[in-house]
Amino acid sequence: MGPELTIPPIFSPIPPAIHPRHAAIDAQTSAWAKTIGIGTEELRARLVSHDIGTFSAMILPDGRDEVVSLLSDFILWLFGVDDGCCEESELGHRPGDLIALLHRLLRIAQNPETPLLERDPLAVGLRDLRARVSRYGTHSQAARWIDALREYFFSVAWEAEHRRAGTVPGLDDYTLMRLYDGATTVVLPLLEMGHGYELQPHERDSPSTRAAAEMASFIITWDNDILSHHKESRSKGYWLNVIRVLEHHHGMAPDEALATAVAQRDRVMCRYLRLKDDLMATAGPQLRRYLTSLTHFVRGAQDWGISSVRYTTPHDPARLPTSFSDRPTDDRDLPLGIPVVAWWWDLPTLTGASGTCTGTGTAER
Ligand code: 3E9
Ligand code: MG
Ligand code: MG
Ligand code: MG
């Protein structure tokens, strides 16, 4: 266990927002988890105390009630997989066996009537989630949700191999894995369903929109790594986090690794805000809605990350901030030196409509 880190207020110029029914949605998710029987009793008792409904209400502050509730149940289910099958389980050390389970779950998402894992609570929960995805989304949104589940599962299998071998991936591999193993991309189709529209493929798959979604995943998962460092570094057994990667492969002391991770996410946040403002200037109503939701997702993960007992761990308090900063520690519009995401800086020159990051912050790092 390394020395305790104090996490400073992180840069977020995005306004907070929350769905007014957050308390009811959180209570519904607790009831759902109990009815389905997700996880062991001990894990479930922890998960239902984490305000996951509040997190969902922050991601879709003005979304349809039914989809905010669906997203909330889905996030709890994802933690049932991530905590219950990967990070806190023997299965998480056996990538081959883990892949077999995840493949079966994928088949259930695709064809819920398939006679597989009929009494397994994760499978029962997934059947219910799939039915609701079909109710509130189109066939192609359901298909993209399943594809996103596949990429999430693929990345946790890669992570499981590192857990088995006790190895720490390098920064480039870690970044590639983290774009998916934070389960951010599985949320994206629900952003559309939350407002009852379907983003057209030429808008969703354009390099700029794809880059914006990847940058949002990067910010959300780097923020998670920063805010969950206390929880993770105190857990028994293997843990993986960008701070650990920077310490292990770049010889950094913990506080230096923290400052580096913060600078990286600040630079991506600045790039993301410029890109979003540029896209907004010419986007149609659906793309505007999508970008607004993506931005709520980023801020929601921050607000939930500093407040949920999952990360504050009151029995052994983490030194987390209680507010955010309006200044980035590093606002340089330059690639991070992480090849898998260098393409974000190859997009056509941005006009930099957002004044948020210009002329603020230190650029010496
Ligand atoms: C997150 O990474 C793991 C996901 C399965 C959590 C489910 C959350 C979402 C779908 C939304 C994205 C939100 C994030 C990443 C907070 P990790 O490091 O295992 O999460 P932990 O809570 O254990 O730090
Ligand atoms: Mg994880
Ligand atoms: Mg985790
Ligand atoms: Mg984490």
Side-chain angles (χ1 to χ4, degrees):
M1 214 187 311
E4 184 66 29
L5 284 173
T6 300
I7 310 298
I10 51 178
F11 168 57
S12 187
I14 302 168
I18 187 162
H19 193 286
R21 296 198 63 250
H22 59 93
I25 287 160
D26 193 58
Q28 277 166 16
T29 289
S30 297
W32 184 84
K34 285 173 192 156
T35 304
I36 307 274
I38 300 284
T40 60
E41 237 173 273
E42 191 273 328
L43 173 59
R44 189 162 59 248
R46 269 189 284 141
L47 292 179
V48 301
S49 76
H50 289 165
D51 297 322
I52 290 172
T54 306
F55 182 25
S56 176
M58 290 166 167
I59 298 173
L60 284 170
D62 41 10
R64 291 197 269 181
D65 291 14
E66 297 85 351
V67 180
V68 185
S69 202
L70 163 59
L71 176 60
S72 176
D73 295 353
F74 180 42
I75 293 176
L76 186 135
W77 184 91
L78 284 163
F79 279 122
V81 173
D82 218 60
D83 291 349
C85 302
C86 300
E87 293 174 13
E88 299 179 7
S89 138
E90 255 308 296
L91 186 60
H93 293 77
R94 303 199 311 270
D97 292 336
L98 179 63
I99 288 170
L101 169 66
L102 299 177
H103 251 292
R104 292 183 186 116
L105 288 174
L106 265 182
R107 190 61 183 166
I108 288 164
Q110 260 170 338
N111 287 78
E113 75 291 348
T114 307
L116 278 173
L117 302 172
E118 280 169 306
R119 282 134 102 96
D120 181 293
L122 281 177
V124 173
L126 186 58
R127 284 191 171 92
D128 178 64
L129 294 168
R130 166 59 208 250
R132 291 154 72 193
V133 163
S134 292
R135 196 173 313 144
Y136 301 112
T138 64
H139 290 315
S140 70
Q141 283 171 328
R144 282 194 296 106
W145 177 71
I146 295 159
D147 283 347
L149 266 179
R150 184 178 292 106
E151 67 191 13
Y152 163 65
F153 288 168
F154 204 29
S155 66
V156 298
W158 188 10
E159 187 184 38
E161 172 54 20
H162 280 291
R163 191 177 296 112
R164 183 201 66 75
T167 48
V168 177
L171 183 59
D172 202 40
D173 272 357
Y174 178 73
T175 303
L176 183 55
M177 187 189 295
R178 199 69 177 126
L179 287 178
Y180 304 101
D181 79 4
T184 45
T185 63
V186 292
V187 170
L188 303 183
L190 277 78
L191 300 183
E192 298 175 34
M193 292 175 214
H195 291 274
Y197 68 95
E198 188 164 24
L199 201 55
Q200 294 307 302
H202 72 271
E203 287 187 302
R204 190 185 60 240
D205 299 331
S206 80
S208 301
T209 310
R210 204 163 74 74
E214 284 198 3
M215 288 183 211
S217 288
F218 182 97
I219 300 163
I220 291 165
T221 52
W222 251 237
D223 285 349
N224 174 273
D225 283 0
I226 291 163
L227 299 172
S228 66
H229 177 264
H230 176 88
K231 166 181 92 72
E232 289 169 353
S233 60
R234 264 140 187 79
S235 65
K236 290 186 248 104
Y238 181 88
W239 61 281
L240 184 57
N241 181 309
V242 68
I243 294 174
R244 179 148 192 221
V245 169
L246 292 167
E247 286 171 11
H248 187 90
H249 289 286
H250 300 255
M252 293 185 190
D255 55 347
E256 197 186 353
L258 170 63
T260 302
V262 168
Q264 289 169 336
R265 56 81 65 203
D266 284 358
R267 269 157 74 171
V268 177
M269 176 71 104
C270 288
R271 184 78 181 159
Y272 171 79
L273 293 170
R274 283 192 199 101
L275 175 59
K276 177 182 73 81
D277 286 353
D278 262 33
L279 284 168
M280 283 288 208
T282 55
Q286 296 177 340
L287 181 55
R288 289 177 70 85
R289 178 70 263 174
Y290 182 74
L291 293 166
T292 301
S293 296
L294 207 51
T295 307
H296 283 311
F297 188 11
V298 171
R299 175 66 197 228
Q302 295 162 345
D303 281 318
W304 180 69
I306 65 166
S307 59
S308 172
V309 296
R310 182 172 174 86
Y311 306 110
T312 60
T313 61
H315 57 282
D316 168 26
R319 297 188 198 166
L320 297 186
T322 53
S323 61
F324 295 93
S325 162
D326 58 5
R327 289 170 64 90
T329 64
D330 186 344
D331 64 1
R332 288 173 298 164
D333 194 18
L334 292 171
L336 298 177
I338 302 177
V340 291
V341 294
W343 76 276
W344 298 343
W345 282 267
D346 295 337
L347 295 167
T349 310
L350 306 180
T351 55
S354 168
T356 315
C357 290
T358 47
T360 59
T362 54
E364 283 91 45
R365 195 182 306 280

